[in-house]
């Protein structure tokens, strides 16, 4: 591997510069105004692949383009498919950023920018490791395919549709899917993530009088949509953190004793966790540890709530309507569609006379758990040990990457979730960052991954 390592050492600055170039493109997929920028980021990926001599195509969709690339097949070796996303979340609130979100800045060994860790920086590690093989060693030891989308942050709808087509399935066929869009367990402790949560996301509108009313003249006589909304949302979870939608837990696969023991042996400090996020106490479902609740138990959170007077000072108003965005994080084998039906029925029953409700099903995806007993897992663990100088621990996460389930179904390929990020990277928040040392360790681990995977017998 010495050639490769020399190449990686010699190109550190170049790799960082390339990442900065991509980070300067504000590819915010949820905001239609930024569609040209999202496309520009996709085109940037395409030109990277072409420069590496890969076959690459910009695949148009009803939304943002999918960028596909592949290296030549290698006889007798498995095929790896890398999935990643070049879109990012909106940077708001802007005034909380120490440096502008789309002007990457290096500070204390980190690179600060929207998308630094989620997912431009992490995804690029695999492109750069392929570059190291192609330019430093001439040929990759296995076939690597890339599918990099621009809609992960808004539900991956068009990639989902693309994967349904048998022609796409043939094109993307792979033995294993490599994804770097998660985190390490902590600084200096790399991890392989073997479980992702699913999601079911809703908007609820409660509609009352035809216009805002005086809360003195009409309060006590007219149902207040904001009060009704608060009661309805409040009824979703009881005082013990148990979700109250009928049948909600029916399909939940319980944690195994092995998992509970595995989580318990991880060095996790509740105090340090509280300090990191600036809270004085933790809460959640009774009977489960914090890591169990975060990684392997379903949850429910209000993501946004509005209605009535929001301006300065006070205004005695009985609002004509109130709304909320809320979502459940799911675990295998919960089915988001089944949940939607039960939830709708429950909310309709709770909705008081004098107001009406509208429940909008925004998006949903089931959770996933990957088997730890596979030669690909072993290969990944070895590669991480090379790249990070320490063997990985096995963790789950509360985050979701909806398309991972589709890969399993459409390609029958298990995912390898190799996260190079950290829990305090400020994903989706102001001052998102990626540790530059982890960027380079990730590239090195990825470079070794191609060698380790090439040695796995894929004919079994
Ligand atoms: N990289 C995250 C997934 C993630 C988050 C993994 C936290 C590990 C920890 C991904 O880009 C993401 O944010 N996904 C969304 C999906 C949603 C919009 C359907 C999420 O989890 O909120
Ligand atoms: Zn994200």
């Amino acid at each position: 591997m010495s050639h490769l390592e020399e190449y990686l050492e010699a190109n550190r600055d170049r790799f960082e510069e390339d990442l900065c170039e991509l980070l300067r493109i504000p590819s915010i997929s949820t905001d239609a105004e930024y569609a040209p920028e999202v496309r520009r980021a996709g085109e940037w990926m395409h030109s990277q692949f072409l420069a590496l001599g890969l076959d690459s195509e910009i695949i148009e969709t009803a939304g943002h383009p999918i960028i596909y690339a592949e290296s030549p097949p290698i006889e007798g070796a498995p095929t790896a498919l890398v999935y990643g996303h070049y879109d990012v979340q909106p940077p708001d609130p802007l005034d909380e950023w120490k440096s502008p979100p789309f002007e990457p800045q290096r500070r204390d060994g980190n690179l600060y920018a929207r998308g630094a860790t989620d997912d431009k920086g992490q995804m690029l590690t695999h492109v750069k490791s392929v570059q190291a093989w192609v330019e430093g060693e001439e040929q990759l030891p296995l076939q690597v395919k890339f599918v990099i989308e621009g809609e992960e942050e808004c539900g991956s709808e068009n990639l989902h549709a693309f994967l349904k087509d048998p022609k796409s399935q043939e094109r993307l066929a792979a033995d294993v899917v490599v994804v770097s869009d998660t985190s390490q367990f902590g600084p200096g402790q790399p991890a392989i993530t073997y479980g992702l949560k699913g999601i079911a996301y809703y908007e609820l509108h409660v509609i009352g009088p035809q216009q805002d009313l005086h809360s003195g003249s009409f309060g006590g006589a007219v149902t207040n949509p904001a009060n009704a909304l608060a009661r309805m949302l409040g009824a979703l979870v009881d005082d013990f953190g148990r979700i109250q939608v009928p049948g909600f837990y029916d399909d939940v696969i319980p944690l195994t004793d092995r998992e509970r023991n595995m989580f318990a042996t991880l060095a996790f400090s509740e105090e340090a966790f509280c300090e990191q996020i600036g809270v004085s106490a933790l809460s959640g479902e009774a009977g489960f540890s914090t890591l169990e609740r975060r990684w392997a138990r379903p949850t429910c959170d209000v993501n946004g709530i509005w209605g009535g007077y929001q301006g300065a000072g006070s205004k005695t108003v009985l609002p004509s309507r109130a709304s909320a965005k809320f979502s459940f994080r799911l675990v295998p084998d919960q089915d988001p569609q089944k949940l939607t039906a039960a939830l709708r029925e429950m909310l309709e029953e709770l909705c008081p006379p004098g107001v009406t409700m509208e429940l909008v099903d925004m998006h949903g995806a089931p959770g996933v758990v990957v088997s730890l007993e596979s030669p690909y897992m072993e290969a990944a663990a070895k590669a991480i040990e090379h790249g990070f100088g320490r063997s990985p621990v096995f963790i789950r996460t509360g985050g979701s990457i909806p398309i991972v389930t589709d890969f399993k179904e459409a390609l029958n390929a298990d995912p390898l979730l190799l996260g190079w990020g950290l829990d305090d990277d400020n994903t989706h928040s102001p001052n998102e960052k990626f540790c530059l040392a982890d960027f380079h360790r990730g590239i090195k681990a990825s470079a070794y991954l191609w060698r380790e995977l090439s040695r796995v017998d894929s004919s079994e």
Side-chain angles (χ1 to χ4, degrees):
M1 284 297 264
S2 60
H3 256 106
L4 267 178
E5 296 209 1
E6 272 166 33
Y7 183 92
L8 296 179
E9 253 331 288
N11 284 279
R12 286 171 75 95
D13 292 349
R14 207 174 136 208
F15 292 163
E16 289 182 22
E17 266 326 298
D18 282 349
L19 173 55
C20 288
E21 221 176 274
L22 179 59
L23 289 170
R24 282 189 200 104
I25 309 176
S27 47
I28 307 167
S29 57
T30 43
D31 186 339
E33 220 175 275
Y34 285 85
E37 297 293 347
V38 180
R39 172 167 297 273
R40 199 152 70 82
E43 283 167 357
W44 189 91
M45 292 307 306
H46 179 57
S47 64
Q48 284 273 309
F49 291 133
L50 292 180
L52 296 185
L54 306 190
D55 263 347
S56 179
E57 191 192 331
I58 299 184
I59 300 169
E60 296 299 338
T61 72
H64 304 302
I66 297 164
I67 312 304
Y68 180 74
E70 61 178 39
S71 68
I74 303 288
E75 181 83 32
T79 296
L81 174 69
V82 175
Y83 163 78
H85 61 98
Y86 64 82
D87 64 323
V88 299
Q89 288 265 333
D92 318 73
L94 276 176
D95 57 0
E96 286 183 30
W97 284 79
K98 293 203 180 89
S99 53
F102 297 107
E103 293 172 28
Q105 201 184 83
R106 288 176 184 78
R107 293 199 302 271
D108 358 301
N110 295 309
L111 188 61
Y112 285 84
R114 171 57 88 235
T117 188
D118 183 9
D119 178 38
K120 290 173 174 175
Q122 294 205 55
M123 173 264 292
L124 213 59
T125 60
H126 301 297
V127 182
K128 295 299 152 193
S129 72
V130 165
Q131 182 172 339
W133 272 95
V134 172
E135 292 179 4
E137 292 277 326
E138 285 172 15
Q139 197 190 33
L140 276 157
L142 83 174
Q143 182 176 33
V144 181
K145 300 176 175 178
F146 287 92
V147 62
I148 312 294
E149 69 157 321
E151 297 185 344
E152 195 273 349
E153 301 292 6
C154 54
S156 303
E157 238 172 69
N158 289 299
L159 180 56
H160 176 80
F162 177 74
L163 283 175
K164 286 233 170 328
D165 182 346
K167 275 197 275 189
S168 319
Q169 294 176 5
E170 208 176 300
R171 195 168 187 197
L172 268 54
D175 298 284
V176 67
V177 180
V178 178
V179 184
S180 290
D181 195 18
T182 50
S183 293
Q184 304 178 63
F185 180 61
Q189 181 54 74
I192 294 182
T193 302
Y194 70 94
L196 292 166
K197 281 193 186 168
I199 191 163
Y201 201 111
Y202 306 94
E203 222 172 75
L204 176 63
H205 305 287
V206 179
I207 303 135
Q210 61 201 11
Q211 65 188 68
D212 288 1
L213 302 171
H214 190 290
S215 65
S217 313
F218 297 90
V222 174
T223 309
N224 181 323
N227 291 31
L229 176 69
R231 292 179 76 98
M232 289 160 83
L233 293 175
L236 292 175
V237 186
D238 74 5
D239 290 346
F240 305 99
R242 295 279 295 181
I243 292 156
Q244 298 298 297
V245 181
F248 185 82
Y249 292 95
D250 287 359
D251 301 322
V252 169
I253 298 183
L255 274 146
T256 61
D257 287 342
R258 182 183 172 202
E259 282 185 294
R260 294 191 93 160
N261 290 335
M262 221 161 77
F263 294 179
T265 56
L266 293 171
F268 177 73
S269 151
E270 299 215 342
E271 281 102 77
F273 183 65
C274 282
E275 200 168 314
Q276 179 201 322
I277 46 190
V279 297
S280 59
L282 301 174
S283 68
E285 189 183 7
F288 295 93
S289 74
T290 302
L291 286 184
E292 288 168 356
R293 299 195 308 271
R294 289 175 62 207
W295 293 350
R297 295 295 299 171
T299 55
C300 172
D301 279 284
V302 175
N303 304 108
I305 184 162
W306 67 99
Y309 183 63
Q310 315 273 323
S314 57
K315 183 182 181 200
T316 47
V317 67
L318 191 160
S320 82
R321 51 191 298 151
S323 302
K325 291 180 193 283
F326 67 103
S327 54
F328 298 87
R329 294 282 173 168
L330 308 175
V331 300
D333 275 336
Q334 289 181 293
D335 171 11
Q337 276 171 1
K338 197 169 151 193
L339 168 60
T340 304
L343 174 71
R344 190 180 299 283
E345 202 173 306
M346 174 184 177
L347 291 175
E348 268 162 7
E349 252 171 53
L350 287 169
C351 187
V355 293
T356 56
M357 62 158 262
E358 191 193 336
L359 181 70
V360 187
D361 179 3
M362 308 278 279
H363 57 78
V368 62
V369 169
V370 193
S371 161
L372 293 177
E373 324 301 333
S374 98
Y376 300 112
M377 276 283 177
E378 247 173 73
K382 275 195 209 148
I384 288 177
E385 204 171 331
H386 278 300
F388 285 76
R390 192 160 174 192
S391 52
V393 289
F394 292 89
I395 63 173
R396 287 170 67 164
T397 177
S400 312
I401 309 175
I403 209 68
V404 164
T405 328
D406 296 45
F407 284 129
K408 213 174 153 155
E409 272 161 27
L411 310 178
N412 192 29
D414 261 354
L416 283 177
L417 303 164
L418 314 179
W420 318 136
L422 288 172
D423 264 353
D424 69 353
D425 275 346
N426 300 322
T427 320
H428 297 197
S429 314
N431 304 307
E432 179 176 345
K433 65 163 175 69
F434 190 29
C435 167
L436 282 165
D438 284 333
F439 176 57
H440 295 291
R441 291 183 193 118
I443 298 173
K444 188 167 162 190
S446 172
Y448 276 96
L449 180 67
W450 307 137
R451 166 148 309 160
E452 293 297 339
L453 287 177
S454 75
R455 293 173 172 159
V456 174
D457 181 358
S458 56
S459 60
E460 278 169 17

